[in-house]
Amino acid sequence: MMRYQDLSYWLSSVDEPLTPRPGLPGDTDADVAIVGAGYTGLWTAYYLALADPSLRIVVLEKEVAGYGASGRNGGWCSALLPTSLPALARRHGRDRALDMQRAMHETVREVGRVVTAEGIECDWRASGTVVLARSEVQLGRARAAVAEAREYGLADEDLVLLDAAEAAARCHAEGVRGGTYTPHCAAVHPAKLVRGLAEAVERRGARIFERTPVTAVRSGVAVTPAGVVRAPFVVRATEGFTPGLPGQRRTVAPVYSLMVATEPLPEATWAEIGLAERETFSDYRHVIIYGQRTADGRLAFGGRGAPYHFGSRIRPDYDREPRVFAALRRVLGELFPVLGREVPVSHTWGGPLGVARDWTASVGLDARSGLAWAGGYVGDGVGTSNLAGRTLADLIRGEASDLTALPWVNHRSPRWEPEPLRWLAVNAGLRIMFSADEAELRTGRPSRRAAAFSRLLGH
């Protein structure tokens, strides 16, 4: 049997053996069937059970709760959206775009509220995010980000520009010239959060069946080798694993993000690095990096850059790319020279996240078929999944609310191109962003190719 503890540092450090729950015993009737016991599925079950304890809710999971991105991510519960405010405003208008961003701000607070109310011990620390500018080009992007925020009515309380001293006071990386800070993010131990959420869902009467793969989702049924779950509503909450379901091969592209974690670092080292409040951190390069100071004193650090695999294939050996791990280790050493030439890494891991063709997360319900979905978070799912779960709970219960009026509700992203176009497009995009970062370091000028690619994505 698979050792789930080996999937990530986070899963290796939960205070439980990760023993699978019993599987589905046979054909079952329910009011709501949910496919996937990650954040999206569990938040949906949680808010449904909270709103109506009489509902019969069944959650089906191929492995164990938190097996996917929910147990392997960077531990940022943020208000980030994969689609920019200008892109949302072009589609839906300025006011509705701002409604979406404000809903995400509130979502960070809501997750913190539930963590406290349910007694989930997940190293929650709502200390915000610092995004560093380490070149003049990056500093220009930081200024532009703040100017854009002001244009949409967001104030210093939402995003503020930092000078070099202010940025370094939060995160003392090498060559910091400034940056931005937002309070709308919390550092969290993601596996403890998802495992605690699963327990909270069960306490409220929902049933979770693990080691129960779903082989097909149709109106009124979720099909498994062990039996069929019949329900008026069936929720697809499978994110990066969605292409494995029949008919869903081109719904999202599973793109891999990889991480490393250091050994626990001494306080003298942390005094030179900063992150005293456990702020999450990144910088303004094109190829995304992200990190946090864990509650036990490690640096958990990740980034994009692993290749997309032909045919949206997902395999365990894709979780580990030595070339990418080496690059992450090198970048950590460049950011924090105090770590030395051989950054003391103890854990390496990765996994797929879901990318919609238009880079837009969505949540929805087809009233005729009873089929519901949420996903396409592009790696920003820790917070966004909570908003999705609350929204799905309202949609399923037929409740019109501020949440069901948000612009991502019932958005339909285009399908990805068939292969080999999909493989060519995704990997070409990665190469463009890598080369843009290299060119900006070399020339000190913004990359036109990266800007053009961002416009192509609708950013």
Side-chain angles (χ1 to χ4, degrees):
M1 182 179 292
M2 179 185 300
R3 261 185 53 86
Y4 298 111
Q5 291 87 345
D6 295 338
L7 291 170
S8 70
Y9 158 68
W10 308 117
L11 288 166
S12 76
S13 56
V14 296
D15 298 325
E16 56 166 309
L18 299 178
T19 303
R21 293 170 171 85
L24 184 71
D27 290 355
T28 302
D29 291 327
D31 296 307
V32 183
I34 298 171
V35 183
Y39 292 138
T40 300
L42 293 173
W43 281 125
T44 303
Y46 178 80
Y47 287 106
L48 281 170
L50 198 66
D52 186 352
S54 70
L55 286 175
R56 298 169 299 165
I57 302 165
V58 167
V59 182
L60 303 169
E61 168 55 48
K62 181 179 180 180
E63 298 292 349
V64 296
Y67 167 81
S70 300
R72 311 191 210 181
N73 62 77
W76 290 35
C77 183
S78 77
L80 293 171
L81 291 163
T83 310
S84 68
L85 278 172
L88 281 172
R90 285 193 295 271
R91 296 174 189 167
H92 306 286
R94 182 182 182 279
D95 290 345
R96 294 191 74 205
L98 188 56
D99 286 344
M100 188 73 199
Q101 186 61 78
R102 291 296 191 196
M104 286 301 303
H105 292 169
E106 177 55 35
T107 291
V108 178
R109 292 186 285 271
E110 169 65 8
V111 177
R113 184 194 68 77
V114 175
V115 163
T116 299
E118 296 292 344
I120 300 173
E121 298 293 337
C122 60
D123 304 334
W124 180 267
R125 187 71 175 271
S127 295
T129 298
V130 57
V131 183
L132 305 171
R134 300 178 59 243
S135 69
E136 285 303 311
V137 174
Q138 290 189 14
L139 189 56
R141 282 199 279 274
R143 292 182 180 122
V146 173
E148 179 179 288
R150 297 296 175 272
E151 182 182 346
Y152 285 87
L154 301 177
D156 280 357
E157 290 75 22
D158 300 303
L159 185 72
V160 65
L161 187 68
L162 305 177
D163 63 25
E166 291 168 330
R170 290 190 178 274
C171 182
H172 197 189
E174 185 76 1
V176 171
R177 302 191 184 191
T180 57
Y181 173 77
T182 175
H184 301 300
C185 186
V188 64
H189 187 301
K192 290 181 180 178
L193 174 59
V194 70
R195 300 296 294 180
L197 183 57
E199 293 175 2
V201 163
E202 288 183 312
R203 285 196 300 271
R204 295 187 178 277
R207 293 181 292 166
I208 302 172
F209 297 106
E210 296 183 333
R211 303 283 291 184
T212 303
V214 172
T215 56
V217 172
R218 298 192 294 269
S219 179
V221 294
V223 181
T224 84
V228 172
V229 179
R230 294 175 292 268
F233 299 100
V234 181
V235 179
R236 171 173 56 77
T238 46
E239 191 55 350
F241 294 86
T242 298
L245 289 170
Q248 303 294 335
R249 178 71 68 184
R250 293 163 54 195
T251 301
V252 299
V255 174
Y256 278 73
S257 197
L258 273 58
M259 294 195 69
V260 300
T262 69
E263 299 284 0
L265 303 174
E267 283 303 317
T269 300
W270 280 115
E272 295 196 44
I273 292 173
L275 304 175
E277 301 300 320
R278 289 189 55 217
E279 300 96 330
T280 56
F281 71 94
S282 183
D283 72 10
Y284 275 99
R285 72 185 70 201
H286 294 291
V287 179
I288 293 171
I289 61 168
Y290 51 92
Q292 69 147 290
R293 176 179 180 169
T294 67
D296 65 349
R298 302 170 190 266
L299 257 176
F301 184 73
R304 310 289 159 77
Y308 163 80
H309 299 280
F310 192 90
S312 295
R313 287 195 299 267
I314 297 171
R315 287 173 31 183
D317 51 314
Y318 295 161
D319 297 344
R320 301 184 182 278
E321 287 276 352
R323 175 184 56 82
V324 178
F325 292 140
L328 291 173
R329 194 169 183 166
R330 183 182 68 252
V331 172
L332 259 186
E334 292 169 356
L335 289 169
F336 307 111
V338 68
L339 296 175
R341 294 177 62 86
E342 291 295 324
V343 176
V345 166
S346 61
H347 295 76
T348 59
W349 71 96
L353 51 88
V355 181
R357 178 62 180 84
D358 58 0
W359 233 254
T360 301
S362 64
V363 57
L365 169 66
D366 184 311
R368 289 185 302 172
S369 66
L371 295 174
W373 78 90
Y377 305 131
V378 196
D380 296 324
V382 181
T384 316
S385 59
N386 173 274
L387 181 60
R390 286 184 285 142
T391 305
L392 283 171
D394 284 354
L395 290 170
I396 289 168
R397 294 172 54 249
E399 294 285 334
S401 67
D402 289 344
L403 298 184
T404 62
L406 290 172
W408 72 326
V409 174
N410 288 324
H411 171 79
R412 296 280 189 172
S413 296
R415 288 164 63 81
W416 279 94
E417 291 80 0
E419 298 292 17
L421 295 177
R422 187 160 74 250
W423 181 86
L424 290 168
V426 176
N427 287 316
L430 285 171
R431 286 193 297 273
I432 287 170
M433 293 308 189
F434 270 119
S435 64
D437 284 329
E438 292 172 356
E440 289 182 355
L441 283 174
R442 187 174 62 253
T443 67
R445 296 192 300 271
S447 167
R448 293 181 180 179
R449 292 182 71 200
F453 185 66
S454 292
R455 287 195 296 272
L456 182 66
L457 293 175
H459 285 193

